[in-house]
Amino acid sequence: MKAQENGSSIFRNLTVLSIEQALSLPFFTYRLVQEGMRVIRVEPPGRGDPNRYVGTDVLGEEAMGSYFLPYNAGKESITLNLASEEGRGILHRLVAELPVDIFASNTRPMNYARLGIDYETLRQLKPDLIWVGVTGFGPDIDEPAYDPILQARAGYMDLTGEPDRPPQLFGLPMADMGVAEHGYGQVMKALFQRAVSGEGSRIDVAMYDSVISWTVIPFTMARTFGTVMKRTGNTHQFYAPASMFPSADGYVFVAVGSDQQWAQLTRMPEFAPLAREEYRHNAGRSANAQTLNRELAEITRTRTAAEVAPFFAEAGIPFSKIYTLPEVVEDPFAESKLLSASDPRTGLRVEMPPPPVMTPFLQEEHMAFSFAPRLGEHNHRIYGETLGYNPVEIAAFHQRGII
């Protein structure tokens, strides 16, 4: 009963069928894997997802590049040619007979009906199906989109970088991961609705809607108040000091969020020279941010990050050394909660960052997933054991390019 109470057995019983490629939808289904759901990738025969060929060939085999491995751990893979009528028929059997609880696709909307994956078609096969479509700009707009395009369109690049330099791409694919997280939330809501009413639902999640929803401050400032926020590099437009500063062994970031914090800091002898009237309130510090940051840097540069950290901690000021990625992966906070997947063929162990929230499934599985699937690795199991096709029929599907 304990597993049932914490919810893990409920999610373990859910099946997700996903026609996915690139990063947005695969990252979304990776989040569902972390809840214990069974996720089956549907890929075209032949080369499959183009992201299989990105990164380093760490296994010595085709279609398993290092970029593909982490966010596809825990999934299964089948191949299916949906351009053929026979392939579409097999997909429809899968939806009904697996049975599928959640169907997801990040195919362009113009292809929904042609591939037989539109909501109206699939709901006839399973009325309580939760259908998810991830698009660039919504189901009525067929414009293709990748993460950088959305960052450019939603103003992210205009807000990123130094004020006297060109716009820059954000360091992580926020449009891809953002729409994945928003889709995850909508699916959880749809599952609750289905549990209460027994009804399925259609969910359309657009990357543009996702990224623009996070621009609450800059969007409202520009539209309502005529205040255009600009690139500020490593500083903050409305708070000071909130910036990167040199230390004797690298860089640190300091973010003073209140006048009280600043007063606490400048009571210390090391920072007493900065206890000036023009810096007493945030408005004054912001107006004189360049001078203030230069003066504060003269103090921080004389000490290592470890030596200067206690001063900011005593003042209650958020502070961090700026970690390199090699340092991040060795951080005890991360190391204690790593996710992993080991390849039974080669023994390669892939380690991934901790999840945003620990789930009962992850605890039960000791933070380990099955390895990312080879292309079509589960064809025989799913087409044979689930749909009942015999080996001769499956071989014929291969020969005709159906799977």
Side-chain angles (χ1 to χ4, degrees):
M1 287 298 294
K2 186 175 181 180
Q4 204 167 25
E5 288 170 3
N6 65 28
S8 64
S9 64
I10 296 174
F11 288 125
R12 283 182 184 271
N13 291 335
L14 297 179
T15 297
V16 182
L17 195 64
S18 182
I19 301 178
E20 60 182 50
Q21 62 176 340
L23 182 57
S24 59
L25 187 54
F27 190 77
F28 160 71
T29 55
Y30 175 63
R31 292 282 285 112
L32 300 183
V33 167
Q34 293 175 21
E35 297 288 355
M37 299 184 199
R38 181 189 188 188
V39 173
I40 303 170
R41 295 176 53 101
V42 181
E43 302 181 62
R47 289 184 60 82
D49 182 347
N51 274 16
R52 286 183 171 276
Y53 305 88
V54 178
T56 306
D57 181 4
V58 292
L59 295 173
E61 63 181 271
E62 193 177 36
M64 290 293 281
S66 58
Y67 185 86
F68 175 82
L69 301 181
Y71 57 89
N72 286 293
K75 302 179 186 179
E76 301 172 45
S77 170
I78 59 174
T79 54
L80 191 58
N81 181 4
L82 295 179
S84 69
E85 184 177 353
E86 195 169 8
R88 293 191 293 274
I90 293 174
L91 179 84
H92 294 165
R93 283 195 63 191
L94 287 171
V95 170
E97 296 179 35
L98 273 169
V100 173
D101 298 281
I102 300 165
F103 176 86
S105 170
N106 61 342
T107 303
R108 290 171 63 179
M110 66 177 290
N111 294 323
Y112 289 165
R114 182 177 65 84
L115 299 178
I117 62 172
D118 56 289
Y119 175 60
E120 293 302 326
T121 295
L122 297 188
R123 72 179 297 204
Q124 299 301 317
L125 303 169
K126 193 167 189 299
D128 65 347
L129 180 71
I130 296 171
W131 185 99
V132 183
V134 175
T135 58
F137 299 93
D140 299 322
I141 301 175
D142 200 58
E143 185 176 342
Y146 285 125
D147 178 274
I149 304 304
L150 274 301
Q151 288 199 38
R153 181 73 174 266
Y156 282 33
M157 292 176 67
D158 186 48
L159 291 169
T160 305
E162 297 295 332
D164 58 347
R165 304 287 294 172
Q168 289 188 334
L169 193 65
F170 193 79
L172 289 171
M174 294 305 296
D176 281 333
M177 294 190 295
V179 76
E181 292 292 348
H182 288 145
Y184 167 87
Q186 290 300 308
V187 160
M188 289 300 173
K189 184 170 70 174
L191 285 170
F192 175 76
Q193 176 181 303
R194 191 176 77 164
V196 173
S197 68
E199 298 177 356
S201 56
R202 172 175 180 164
I203 299 170
D204 287 289
V205 192
M207 296 172 72
Y208 179 80
D209 294 340
S210 175
V211 291
I212 203 70
S213 73
W214 281 338
T215 65
V216 175
I217 296 299
F219 187 100
T220 305
M221 286 290 181
R223 185 172 180 87
T224 305
F225 306 113
T227 302
V228 179
M229 297 180 66
K230 296 293 186 181
R231 293 187 294 282
T232 58
N234 291 312
T235 65
H236 195 285
Q237 186 161 342
F238 300 110
Y239 286 95
S243 187
M244 180 180 73
F245 297 93
S247 74
D249 61 347
Y251 289 93
V252 300
F253 203 96
V254 175
V256 175
S258 71
D259 294 340
Q260 182 180 7
Q261 290 175 347
W262 178 253
Q264 286 288 104
L265 183 69
T266 55
R267 290 191 187 105
M268 301 176 195
E270 294 80 3
F271 297 91
L274 300 179
R276 301 205 293 273
E277 183 61 29
E278 62 266 34
Y279 295 159
R280 183 179 177 185
H281 298 294
N282 181 64
R285 295 193 300 274
S286 294
N288 296 280
Q290 287 189 350
T291 302
L292 170 58
N293 288 345
R294 188 166 54 248
E295 293 172 340
L296 185 55
E298 291 304 315
I299 299 173
T300 62
R301 73 172 67 251
T302 63
R303 296 171 172 81
T304 66
E307 290 170 341
V308 76
F311 297 121
F312 295 101
E314 184 177 341
I317 295 172
F319 167 93
S320 179
K321 173 186 175 180
I322 295 179
Y323 282 58
T324 64
L325 279 172
E327 290 173 325
V328 171
V329 300
E330 301 296 334
D331 191 323
F333 280 107
E335 277 199 313
S336 64
K337 296 174 286 187
L338 291 179
L339 302 175
S340 68
S342 296
D343 183 16
R345 298 188 190 178
T346 65
L348 175 68
R349 176 183 168 92
V350 176
E351 294 183 330
M352 292 86 74
V357 177
M358 186 61 61
T359 68
F361 170 79
L362 292 176
Q363 291 176 320
E364 292 166 7
E365 297 298 320
H366 306 290
M367 311 296 284
F369 298 127
S370 60
F371 200 69
R374 271 79 180 176
L375 180 62
E377 179 178 341
H378 301 91
N379 279 353
H380 282 273
R381 180 197 301 172
I382 292 174
Y383 295 136
E385 296 178 11
T386 302
L387 297 188
Y389 293 112
N390 63 47
V392 174
E393 291 174 306
I394 293 174
F397 288 150
H398 275 293
Q399 290 177 348
R400 300 202 305 276
I402 303 300
I403 64 174

